[in-house]
Amino acid sequence: MNKRLFLFSLAVTTILTASAHFVMNLQTKKIGSAVSPTMYGLFFEDINYAADGGLYAELVKNRSFEFPNPFTGWDISGKVTLRDDGPFERNPHYVRLAPSGHRDKHSMIENHGFFGMGVKGDEEYRFSVWARVPDGGSAKLWIDLVDNATMRDDQKLGNASVEVSGKEWKKYTTIIKPDRTFAKAHLRVWGDGNATTDLEHVSLFPVNTYKGRENGLRQDLAKALEDIHPGVFRFPGGCIVEGTDLATRYQWKNTIGPVENRPLNENRWHYTFTHRYYPDYFQSYGLGFFEFFQLCEDIKAEPLPVLSVGLACQFQNQDERAHAAMDELQPFIDDCLDLIEFANGPETSKWGKVRADMGHPAPFNMKYLAIGNEQWDTPYFSRLKPFVEAVRARYPEIKIVGTSGPDSEGKMFEKGWEAMRELKADLVDEHFYRNESFFLGTAEGRQRYGNCGALRYDSYDRKGPKVFAGEYACHGAGKKWNHYETSLYEAAFMTGIERNADIVEMATYAPLFAHVEGWQWRPDLIWFDNLRMFRSVSYYVQQMFAKNKGTNVLTLTAENIKKLKGPSEPVAGQEGMNGLFASSVFDSQTNEIIIKVVNTSKTAQDIHINLLGMSGERLAETLTLQHDGSMDDENTLEQPFRIQPVSGSLKCVTEGKKQATVLKDQLPPMSFRLYKVSVK
Ligand code: AHR
């Protein structure tokens, strides 16, 4: 075991006196393993209304009338009929508004949005519709944004109209400006009663989307992604990649091209949890693979798409016949090869041309491809083999990510790793939604989960595939969610990821988004309603690491652990350094050393860090996850900034004849602080 491992690997409980301090030595001149630029990233899945009703800024639900119940999300009145010979082959339904025959009896449709539509009084909204007048001539269409929830004299928040003319289908667009902010608006579209009008793909977007794109993303949510400085972006799932059955798996080719012609798919999260049932939760694919790649480019994250290996969800399908047989895999393999061409191929290639026609002639420069999500055992290993061979043969530069299954330990997990080694996968995607004991690596955690806590990766084989911690979050025992304490333990765990940057290439918390009225899974990184959002404490932990990941690991060791004695209470179940967890990196771009220290003990701790190789007085910039309340505190829509990182500074002292630089600090109980010291 090397000295570095000794530091935080030793499961030693130490006790500090009130005056005692914990000494660490940081080798500031010994530049260690590189930290991968992809290290801290994001994992996006359309769960919890993350896409439709969330990041994807479309406000109309079931805009093409393709839901199994074609009027889901709509109220209709007057003479409204559904027809199925519309202009978009894969979304054939549309509605016909015919004159009712009575002056004030309007034929009208009204959309409820996703839990209503959030509109802001100072913003513009772009309404669009494909329409025609089947009998020829022209007809006026009225568009109202309404508040029919509160008792107002006039329900209208804003309105506009368009003149539809001719028998041909055309796209009509107009802008609506609501006169006030309202979270639960509806969109009403009605004819003036003089002519029959056909309507298809009824859409409403804020004009102010992220980067101003028409088929765009919600500004505040996309900005939160950008702000984290993610190194990698894994998409589109998760379980939705596999599908409950193969027919409902995520098929990327259905998610590109004109949005009007992207076919609807079910979303398994609408029914997976019977206690959180959302029968109106489908995937419009308005946010599809082109938009995902574009987002990665915008937020400067490496794209990491996940594709099906020909297995439907193994949890839901025990029968081998539910999956593609070995001789039926070619279309799935082609999906992988074609995706690489779509992302990276020249404009002259078949799929590169599709990308260019969508407005992005330059390649997206995709480097990673994951094949399969949470798959296990022989059905997976045998199927993955021909995928690996085909991708290696045509695109040897692409890094292939395999999976070790849904568990973070156990027989299947071991078998998965063994198989990935044999197949020479570049990375293995591990998932762990575990409680506090796992993240802290307590005796209880080690007994239950085996290799866990910040020490987890210390013992990994350095010769095999790299690690991708692709889905993880601390799920508080006793069903506590997104509160300060569990996020702090995630930070403690992440120091172990960072120390092991030579083997861990990327890590992504999961899930990413949740609508407060429509979640199926928690905790989540970012919560939102129709108008507001907040970043969870875990978000800030991720951000503190991601923005300060540095370029190389530095060796940080503890001194005299056993000599420290005193009255302070060790926290039950915690071991190693009195609940102190730490890691350090050097940033060659900024010439700074960055030290992250997490105190998971319920007492304050004095730390002295000898910055070996540095001398003279220096100023350390600090960033502290500011919190002085209960461990159960969390950020909320009402108090979004209750817990967040706060900047400060600290003067390092000098000691001895050589004026050696020492960073001395007292860490509050249950705290996370990082320090940056310039080496110039
Ligand atoms: O993140 C939620 C789900 O957890 C993912 O879809 C799946 O991969 C895992 O089981």
Side-chain angles (χ1 to χ4, degrees):
M1 184 184 283
N2 64 31
K3 218 177 166 196
R4 175 171 63 82
L5 299 187
F6 168 73
L7 163 65
F8 296 107
S9 330
L10 274 183
V12 177
T13 302
T14 56
I15 300 172
L16 300 172
T17 57
S19 61
H21 52 263
F22 201 97
V23 183
M24 301 182 221
N25 293 320
L26 178 63
Q27 302 287 346
T28 68
K29 301 283 183 220
K30 284 190 191 159
I31 308 299
S33 319
V35 178
S36 169
T38 55
M39 180 59 113
Y40 306 108
L42 300 168
F43 161 51
F44 181 94
E45 176 170 25
D46 191 3
I47 184 172
N48 306 321
Y49 288 83
D52 294 311
L55 182 62
Y56 184 50
E58 172 65 88
L59 293 168
V60 177
K61 180 171 67 192
N62 189 15
R63 62 189 174 187
S64 294
F65 311 97
E66 296 299 329
F67 281 28
N69 171 355
F71 287 114
T72 297
W74 295 94
D75 287 329
I76 56 173
S77 50
K79 276 197 175 172
V80 178
T81 49
L82 182 78
R83 302 176 68 89
D84 63 3
D85 57 346
F88 305 111
E89 197 192 343
R90 298 198 288 188
N91 289 322
H93 291 106
Y94 63 97
V95 291
R96 173 160 290 180
L97 265 52
S100 72
H102 306 279
R103 202 194 70 176
D104 295 329
K105 187 173 177 184
H106 301 287
S107 294
M108 186 182 285
I109 56 175
E110 179 171 312
N111 192 271
H112 302 184
F114 301 87
F115 315 101
M117 297 176 184
V119 294
K120 292 182 185 161
D122 51 356
E123 293 209 0
E124 294 183 332
Y125 292 82
R126 184 181 290 109
F127 168 86
S128 68
V129 65
W130 284 79
R132 68 173 180 182
V133 183
D135 303 322
S138 64
K140 194 150 195 166
L141 215 53
W142 293 98
I143 303 108
D144 301 334
L145 262 175
V146 298
D147 159 4
N148 54 7
T150 49
M151 301 300 286
R152 300 181 88 214
D153 288 348
D154 180 358
Q155 295 176 331
K156 290 181 191 173
L157 300 164
N159 65 338
S161 65
V162 290
E163 192 77 21
V164 180
S165 63
K167 291 182 182 179
E168 300 306 316
W169 285 101
K170 279 180 272 183
K171 185 175 176 178
Y172 296 86
T173 302
T174 187
I175 299 291
I176 310 181
K177 285 187 196 173
D179 61 9
R180 66 181 177 121
T181 297
F182 188 54
K184 299 274 179 193
H186 286 186
L187 178 75
R188 220 170 255 172
V189 185
W190 49 286
D192 64 4
N194 293 323
T196 296
T197 320
D198 290 339
L199 309 178
E200 161 65 316
H201 199 87
V202 184
S203 170
L204 185 73
F205 271 88
V207 170
N208 179 24
T209 56
Y210 183 63
K211 306 279 178 195
R213 300 204 176 95
E214 285 199 14
N215 185 52
L217 307 180
R218 213 174 112 166
Q219 177 74 263
D220 56 342
L221 299 183
K223 183 71 173 62
L225 302 184
E226 182 187 303
D227 286 351
I228 221 165
H229 290 217
V232 66
F233 187 86
R234 176 181 183 243
F235 62 93
C239 292
I240 64 165
V241 168
E242 304 153 79
T244 293
D245 44 41
L246 284 180
T248 57
R249 75 185 186 280
Y250 193 100
Q251 298 192 53
W252 72 267
K253 287 173 182 163
N254 287 344
T255 75
I256 58 170
V259 284
E260 295 86 349
N261 205 23
R262 299 182 191 177
L264 186 81
N265 195 8
E266 72 165 39
N267 188 322
R268 60 163 285 157
W269 298 113
H270 108 208
Y271 52 72
T272 302
F273 300 124
T274 50
H275 65 294
R276 304 288 304 172
Y277 178 55
Y278 292 92
D280 65 349
Y281 194 8
F282 287 81
Q283 300 181 76
S284 75
Y285 288 146
L287 169 52
F289 260 44
F290 179 83
E291 291 77 19
F292 279 128
F293 279 116
Q294 207 169 36
L295 175 63
C296 290
E297 194 168 73
D298 291 339
I299 62 178
K300 299 182 180 61
E302 289 295 342
L304 170 51
V306 190
L307 294 192
S308 164
V309 71
L311 288 168
C313 174
Q314 284 171 277
F315 282 117
Q316 291 173 307
N317 300 280
Q318 310 301 325
D319 190 332
E320 179 67 15
R321 285 169 302 184
H323 311 299
M326 289 300 291
D327 60 2
E328 294 168 345
L329 291 178
Q330 198 52 50
F332 296 83
I333 295 173
D334 289 344
D335 274 355
C336 292
L337 300 174
D338 294 344
L339 178 67
I340 301 170
E341 187 176 291
F342 174 74
N344 296 351
E347 286 179 68
T348 47
S349 63
K350 177 181 168 192
W351 290 101
K353 180 173 182 323
V354 178
R355 180 198 68 236
D357 289 348
M358 288 184 76
H360 202 287
F364 282 118
N365 198 16
M366 154 186 167
K367 299 187 184 78
Y368 297 91
L369 174 66
I371 307 168
N373 170 67
E374 292 194 347
Q375 254 78 56
W376 66 85
D377 213 355
T378 316
Y380 176 48
F381 313 147
S382 55
R383 282 174 178 81
L384 183 60
K385 194 165 184 279
F387 283 75
V388 173
E389 287 166 357
V391 173
R392 292 270 186 252
R394 199 175 304 171
Y395 298 107
E397 70 282 9
I398 293 290
K399 286 193 179 181
I400 296 177
V401 184
T403 158
S404 52
D407 288 318
S408 51
E409 66 285 316
K411 222 170 102 194
M412 274 309 155
F413 171 82
E414 299 298 339
K415 216 174 158 184
W417 261 96
E418 197 44 52
M420 294 311 111
R421 269 184 219 110
E422 272 169 33
L423 287 167
K424 296 198 168 37
D426 295 289
L427 291 103
V428 178
D429 177 11
E430 303 190 334
H431 295 178
F432 33 94
Y433 299 103
R434 296 288 186 250
N435 69 19
E436 295 90 335
S437 70
F438 177 97
F439 281 82
L440 286 173
T442 61
E444 184 200 323
R446 291 200 308 281
Q447 195 179 11
R448 185 162 168 197
Y449 303 113
N451 191 10
C452 61
L455 315 182
R456 178 177 175 85
Y457 296 113
D458 292 12
S459 56
Y460 268 49
D461 174 9
R462 268 40 201 179
K463 289 186 220 87
K466 299 274 172 121
V467 174
F468 170 33
E471 294 185 27
Y472 70 93
C474 184
H475 286 205
K479 303 233 179 287
K480 293 199 278 178
W481 316 106
N482 272 125
H483 58 302
Y484 179 80
E485 185 176 7
T486 46
S487 305
L488 188 75
Y489 298 160
E490 285 159 6
F493 179 81
M494 288 171 78
T495 61
I497 290 182
E498 189 157 277
R499 280 189 305 99
N500 285 283
D502 62 318
I503 183 75
V504 184
E505 190 162 322
M506 44 178 82
T508 56
Y509 178 99
L512 181 53
F513 283 121
H515 194 299
V516 291
E517 293 180 59
W519 59 268
Q520 295 84 44
W521 185 295
R522 60 181 178 174
D524 304 286
L525 209 60
I526 300 167
W527 288 81
F528 59 92
D529 67 7
N530 286 351
L531 290 170
R532 300 169 296 173
M533 58 86 71
F534 72 88
R535 302 162 195 223
S536 67
V537 190
S538 293
Y539 174 99
Y540 287 117
V541 167
Q542 293 293 322
Q543 190 188 46
M544 284 171 75
F545 274 85
K547 284 179 84 169
N548 299 287
K549 60 176 171 276
T551 53
N552 296 82
V553 179
L554 291 175
T555 303
L556 181 62
T557 55
E559 202 175 86
N560 298 335
I561 296 177
K562 286 179 188 162
K563 285 189 192 158
L564 296 167
K565 288 206 167 71
S568 74
E569 293 268 316
V571 179
Q574 290 179 4
E575 289 179 307
M577 310 238 331
N578 250 28
L580 280 175
F581 294 78
S583 57
S584 179
V585 290
F586 172 66
D587 192 322
S588 60
Q589 280 149 18
T590 58
N591 258 313
E592 285 169 330
I593 57 168
I594 304 166
I595 308 164
K596 305 179 182 85
V597 190
V598 184
N599 179 15
T600 64
S601 142
K602 290 187 179 150
T603 52
Q605 300 211 45
D606 290 319
I607 55 165
H608 290 190
I609 305 178
N610 296 316
L611 305 185
L612 304 177
M614 289 174 79
S615 58
E617 278 188 3
R618 291 171 189 259
L619 200 67
E621 279 176 41
T622 61
L623 194 62
T624 306
L625 190 59
Q626 189 65 38
H627 174 253
D628 47 19
S630 141
M631 289 301 107
D632 287 346
D633 286 350
E634 55 185 319
N635 290 336
T636 59
L637 285 174
E638 288 69 35
Q639 288 187 288
F641 304 115
R642 184 174 192 172
I643 302 162
Q644 61 174 325
V646 171
S647 305
S649 64
L650 180 92
K651 232 181 182 176
C652 297
V653 298
T654 57
E655 279 181 358
K657 278 190 204 141
K658 291 189 176 163
Q659 299 270 295
T661 313
V662 184
L663 189 157
K664 294 185 177 181
D665 195 13
Q666 182 172 72
L667 282 171
M670 299 294 281
S671 62
F672 173 26
R673 180 167 293 162
L674 72 79
Y675 309 86
K676 281 196 211 182
V677 185
S678 171
V679 297
K680 277 184 212 142

